[in-house]
Amino acid sequence: MSLIHAVVSRSTLIIAEHSADKRDFSQALQTILPKIPLNDSKLTYAWEEYLFHYVSEGGIIYLVIADAAAGRRIPFAFLADLQRKFLAAPSSSSPDMPPYGLQGSFGTTIANLMHTYNTAPPADELTRAQNELNQVKDIMVQNVEQILSRGERIELLVDKTDVMAGRATAFRRGARNIRRQMWWRDKKVLALCILVGLILLWVAIAQFCGVTLNRCLS
């Protein structure tokens, strides 16, 4: 069997329970029930080879002990059904319920429900539980896809940044080379202008003083 022991409690006060096995889980329940928060939550505790699945809502704890091989889908579908049946019970809202106050009436309900889920679980409940798991899985997949897509965009942006940085470096290197070439060209033009000026000056002087400047020197 998959489901072994089920409990409905208000905090640590057990209202009703049923065991489909002769194993004694009282000590384990005394240890685990105080650890369960009374705010709305769903969780699974592991104890030896068993899993303690619970739903805590409205100050009421719905707990089922199951074999580890049962997974989580069937136990939580059972707890959802158990919660609906308990809330539909006429005396479930009584605030001063004594220990095992509903054992006589609701204990039978737990036993029948556990037998149903151990032999032929309702398909609609399992389908609903599976759909919830699929929705969670879809959300997780969607988030992973968004993260991967964002990562690809980041990598693409990094690649583009690297390319732009390389182009900027090449541009600076090219600009430096052009400035150096223009500087040398300016120097060459200046030197050529000086040379041409000296030649023109020599020609002008040579017209009055001769080619060897002997007339002016004498």
Side-chain angles (χ1 to χ4, degrees):
M1 63 185 67
S2 299
L3 309 182
I4 302 170
H5 194 102
V7 171
V8 177
S9 68
R10 180 174 281 112
S11 184
T12 58
L13 178 66
I14 296 177
I15 299 173
E17 67 178 342
H18 175 75
S19 180
D21 193 90
K22 295 182 179 180
R23 282 166 286 188
D24 184 14
F25 294 99
S26 57
Q27 182 178 359
L29 290 172
Q30 291 174 4
T31 302
I32 291 178
L33 284 178
K35 298 180 181 296
I36 298 177
L38 296 181
N39 57 331
D40 296 353
S41 60
K42 298 180 180 180
L43 199 62
T44 298
Y45 285 112
W47 182 76
E48 295 183 355
E49 69 271 26
Y50 306 107
L51 296 179
F52 288 62
H53 310 276
Y54 79 83
V55 173
S56 177
E57 188 173 328
I60 303 297
I61 298 173
Y62 311 89
L63 183 145
V64 63
I65 304 172
D67 291 325
R72 299 189 58 178
R73 187 165 60 97
I74 292 179
F76 276 105
F78 166 81
L79 290 176
D81 208 351
L82 179 64
Q83 182 181 14
R84 282 195 297 273
K85 291 183 180 298
F86 178 78
L87 295 177
S91 55
S92 62
S93 59
S94 177
D96 53 351
M97 184 70 62
Y100 294 95
L102 291 180
Q103 183 64 30
S105 58
F106 199 71
T108 304
T109 302
I110 298 176
N112 294 335
L113 190 62
M114 184 178 294
H115 176 74
T116 299
Y117 274 84
N118 277 332
T119 55
D124 55 341
E125 292 299 329
L126 294 183
T127 301
R128 186 181 61 81
Q130 185 63 50
N131 290 336
E132 292 179 355
L133 292 177
N134 289 336
Q135 291 176 2
V136 174
K137 183 182 68 175
D138 292 340
I139 293 174
M140 293 177 63
V141 171
Q142 181 180 358
N143 291 339
V144 171
E145 289 176 350
Q146 290 176 353
I147 292 173
L148 291 177
S149 176
R150 186 162 57 250
E152 291 174 356
R153 288 197 295 270
I154 291 174
E155 291 177 359
L156 181 60
L157 179 61
V158 170
D159 293 341
K160 289 183 177 179
T161 304
D162 292 340
V163 172
M164 293 178 64
R167 290 179 178 176
T169 302
F171 176 79
R172 286 195 299 269
R173 188 182 300 111
R176 187 164 54 250
N177 293 334
I178 292 175
R179 285 198 302 270
R180 188 181 297 112
Q181 292 174 2
M182 293 184 66
W183 184 84
W184 280 112
R185 188 181 64 179
D186 291 341
K187 296 300 181 182
K188 291 178 180 179
V189 171
L190 179 61
L192 182 61
C193 290
I194 294 174
L195 180 61
V196 170
L198 291 175
I199 293 174
L200 292 177
L201 178 63
W202 180 79
V203 170
I205 295 175
Q207 290 178 354
F208 297 98
C209 300
V211 176
T212 59
L213 305 178
N214 55 354
R215 285 181 292 181
C216 294
L217 294 175
S218 61

